[in-house]
Amino acid sequence: MNAPFTVVVVVFHRIEPLRRLLTGIAACAPDGRPRLVVVNLEDDPEVRSVATAFGATIVTATDRGYAAAVNRGVEEVDTEVVVFSSDDLEINPRSLRRLVATVAGGIADVAVPQILDLYGREQASVRSLPTPARIFMEWAATGDRPLTRGRRIQKWRRPQRIETIDAFDAALVAVRTDVLRIHPLPEEYFLYWEELDWCYRLHAAGRRCVLVPDAVVRHAGGRDDVRADKQRLLARNAVRCVYRTQGRNAAARAWPIVMLWQLRLLVVDGLRALLGRENRVPARVAGVAAAFGAWREFIDPELHEVAA
């Protein structure tokens, strides 16, 4: 099925990754090149030049976060299926078409690919809904690398066929446009955990989300991308997500679990630094500090009225 679709790419000053991504998207021809919408954060002239060369519709936006940029880009979409993406991916046309066909053919409302890092290693594509119990199991108590087989830990799962999932990493997502307009991405996070908030609401609305394992993208981010600003957002937004989806009491239960998660990361990376490996301790300290301060997320509701 060669259904028409639009790709919305959110770009933040990353020129060469953008060029590689748009080259992969453009290679969908001769089956029919998709329409391109590039959300150019902070009106970068180099981004505008690259996007123009690929025939994209360019939307200029202030940097209010990934979700806000996607929602702005979707305003320009007139196809039944939209694919939204960050700018640090590499994708082949077959995978892109596979995701679109899954949605256009009525198999699912939302389809996501298997994600690899730039070295070809699998990253977590399947996630759990953000309840306090699942945050404990998936984030605080377990690492990124699988120790056992089975379905108990969602982030360790690697489906071999199309399979319904509760939540996912949203580096690249194919979705029915009407679904995304009814359930826009939440804009209260800036970055990280907005996709789990969105998945929670999709699940509650009975929308079917699937992982398509033979659709593969490569992502420059992932577990090896450890920065202080990222750790602060991950820790804070975990509590924010539980508050927004399940209320104050659930967020209060999640808070010490998020603290435990960030402390585990600090201890593990502290030991690695002692063994002469990369020193990630300052970033982990920032995560612990942000987790400690996240009690404000369930005490002060005004924090959730505007984006970060």
Side-chain angles (χ1 to χ4, degrees), residues 37-60:
V37 175
V38 168
V39 183
N40 183 8
L41 299 178
E42 299 183 350
D43 197 18
D44 186 327
E46 290 187 274
V47 168
R48 178 176 293 275
S49 176
V50 172
T52 299
F54 282 89
T57 297
I58 302 168
V59 176
T60 300

Side-chain angles (χ1 to χ4, degrees), residues 55-125:
T57 297
I58 302 168
V59 176
T60 300
T62 57
D63 188 10
R64 297 191 297 114
Y66 182 66
V70 170
N71 292 338
R72 175 64 187 90
V74 171
E75 293 176 6
E76 306 297 322
V77 173
D78 58 6
T79 53
E80 292 185 2
V81 178
V82 59
V83 178
F84 63 85
S85 167
S86 58
D87 58 1
D88 56 349
L89 301 176
E90 295 179 9
I91 187 168
N92 62 71
R94 180 187 174 279
S95 292
L96 193 56
R97 285 286 181 190
R98 185 79 171 92
L99 293 170
V100 171
T102 300
V103 174
I107 296 173
D109 298 295
V110 181
V112 295
Q114 175 60 56
I115 300 173
L116 307 180
D117 66 16
L118 296 183
Y119 301 99
R121 298 173 298 189
E122 290 184 331
Q123 296 184 340
S125 298

